């Protein structure tokens, strides 16, 4: 299978502290991969390497078989979109927030396109003029996802985007991740603490602990872990 992103013995250190150790593996093109693991495992750090927010001290990273450092940073940000749990927004209405990625490039977002983007994330077009402060948590997260689609990314990175949502909104976002993946064939790498979500949403799962990948493969691995560490980690989390 073709890799969208490939890691070869990647290490990332801060002040001599090893945050990521010998990371090797691939996020497959057009597939959904879920990163799970205890707090501090290095999941967010790994995502930040994928859009160039951070650079590894050693090892190699490839995006579509090209070394990641060969990409122009602006091109990289466009190819690899990222949404966060906090879904940071600027003051103003939904349209203004959706327009932001293009405005930063000196372009305008056509209203029709903005409407289509909202539709893609299951929101109605009348929300375009709504003040961002008046959205529910779930709506805000959907706008955040729609905004990552503005640049037509090939890869989407989602960091705990369902963590602060109620159960119904979580389900909606789960369905959204799958539908965006199908519609745009975009490669998705996302982080969640909810192991049930890893089973239902992502085809592949990486289990990370203390900066290392302990197990990776089809998400079903969570049901029958090979290692004692992962067995302990999933214990009681899955029915
Ligand atoms: N800027 C930083 N300076 C020092 N240490 C950092 C920095 N950023 C991250 N770390 C450390 O790197 C490790 C991995 O952090 P990271 O945020 O990637 O973990 P995570 O798996 O995303 O955790 P969580 O589930 O809590 O979000 C942690 O020990 C963290 O304290
Ligand atoms: Mg994190």
């Amino acid at each position: 299978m073709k890799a969208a992103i490939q890691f070869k013995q990647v290490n990332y250190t801060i002040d001599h502290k090893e945050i990521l150790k010998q990371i090797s593996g691939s996020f497959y093109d057009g597939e959904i991969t879920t990163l799970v693991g205890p707090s501090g495992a290095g999941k967010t750090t790994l995502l930040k390497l994928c859009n160039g927010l951070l650079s590894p001290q050693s090892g190699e990273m490839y995006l579509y078989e090209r070394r990641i450092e060969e990409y122009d940073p602006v091109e990289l940000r466009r190819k690899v979109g990222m949404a966060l749990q906090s879904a940071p927004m600027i003051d103003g209405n939904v349209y203004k927030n959706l327009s932001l990625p293009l405005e930063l490039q000196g372009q305008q977002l056509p209203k029709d396109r903005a409407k289509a983007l909202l539709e893609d994330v299951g929101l109605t077009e009348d929300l375009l003029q709504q003040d961002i402060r008046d959205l529910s948590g779930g709506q805000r997260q959907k706008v955040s996802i729609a905004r990552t689609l503005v640049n037509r990314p090939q890869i989407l990175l989602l960091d705990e985007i369902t963590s602060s949502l109620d159960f119904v909104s979580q389900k909606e976002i789960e369905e959204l991740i799958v539908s965006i993946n199908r519609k745009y064939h975009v490669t998705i790498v996302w982080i969640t603490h909810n192991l049930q979500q890893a089973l239902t949403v992502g085809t592949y799962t990486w289990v990370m602990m203390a900066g290392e990948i302990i197990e990776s493969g089809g998400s079903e691995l969570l049901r029958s872990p090979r290692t004692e560490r992962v067995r302990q980690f999933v214990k009681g989390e899955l029915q």
Side-chain angles (χ1 to χ4, degrees):
M1 240 179 314
K2 189 176 147 193
I5 301 181
Q6 189 184 12
F7 299 86
K8 287 186 183 171
Q9 301 183 332
V10 165
N11 294 291
Y12 182 76
T13 6
I14 300 177
D15 302 334
H16 306 290
K17 184 179 165 209
E18 289 184 299
I19 309 289
L20 294 174
K21 303 169 206 165
Q22 295 290 316
I23 302 291
S24 292
S26 296
F27 297 137
Y28 295 116
D29 190 35
E31 302 286 347
I32 302 175
T33 303
T34 312
L35 304 184
V36 301
S39 190
K43 304 180 296 293
T44 297
T45 306
L46 190 70
L47 277 201
K48 286 181 177 169
L49 291 176
C50 296
N51 72 347
L53 278 177
L54 300 174
S55 302
Q57 273 79 10
S58 65
E60 291 161 27
M61 279 185 71
Y62 296 84
L63 237 92
Y64 300 104
E65 295 172 348
R66 198 170 135 210
R67 289 285 291 258
I68 196 165
E69 56 270 31
E70 287 175 16
Y71 285 85
D72 168 67
V74 178
E75 185 191 358
L76 192 58
R77 277 325 128 66
R78 244 180 262 159
K79 265 192 194 310
V80 188
M82 191 170 194
L84 307 171
Q85 178 182 1
S86 57
M89 297 285 162
I90 54 169
D91 286 345
N93 61 22
V94 169
Y95 175 72
K96 190 172 173 193
N97 274 277
L98 279 182
S99 309
L100 197 61
L102 286 184
E103 249 170 52
L104 294 173
Q105 300 165 44
Q107 298 169 36
Q108 276 211 318
L109 178 69
K111 278 271 158 62
D112 283 354
R113 180 103 211 288
K115 288 176 186 171
L117 285 166
L118 281 191
E119 198 179 314
D120 278 344
V121 297
L123 295 174
T124 50
E125 57 179 73
D126 54 286
L127 274 185
L128 273 186
Q129 302 309 326
Q130 187 147 331
D131 194 297
I132 207 79
R133 288 170 301 190
D134 298 333
L135 298 183
S136 70
Q139 286 174 325
R140 193 184 162 95
Q141 201 50 263
K142 287 175 189 173
V143 171
S144 170
I145 294 170
R147 188 172 56 185
T148 65
L149 297 174
V150 169
N151 281 320
R152 304 182 203 275
Q154 287 174 282
I155 299 167
L156 263 190
L157 312 172
L158 311 172
D159 195 350
E160 294 197 40
I161 57 168
T162 66
S163 303
S164 56
L165 302 179
D166 60 80
F167 185 74
V168 173
S169 301
Q170 280 189 29
K171 287 282 161 207
E172 287 177 6
I173 299 284
E174 286 172 25
E175 284 166 20
L176 191 54
I177 293 170
V178 174
S179 73
I180 288 171
N181 167 255
R182 295 217 177 114
K183 181 167 181 187
Y184 295 103
H185 307 290
V186 58
T187 304
I188 296 179
V189 185
W190 76 308
I191 297 173
T192 180
H193 280 279
N194 180 334
L195 299 182
Q196 200 66 49
Q197 287 183 328
L199 280 172
T200 50
V201 177
T203 309
Y204 300 95
T205 295
W206 289 18
V207 186
M208 297 184 66
M209 288 180 186
E212 291 179 277
I213 301 165
I214 307 297
E215 293 194 31
S216 65
S219 298
E220 285 295 317
L221 70 84
L222 293 172
R223 292 202 189 279
S224 47
R226 285 182 291 108
T227 60
E228 186 53 32
R229 289 166 84 184
V230 176
R231 250 196 299 281
Q232 287 301 325
F233 173 67
V234 301
K235 210 164 139 189
E237 296 273 342
L238 295 170
Q239 296 87 1

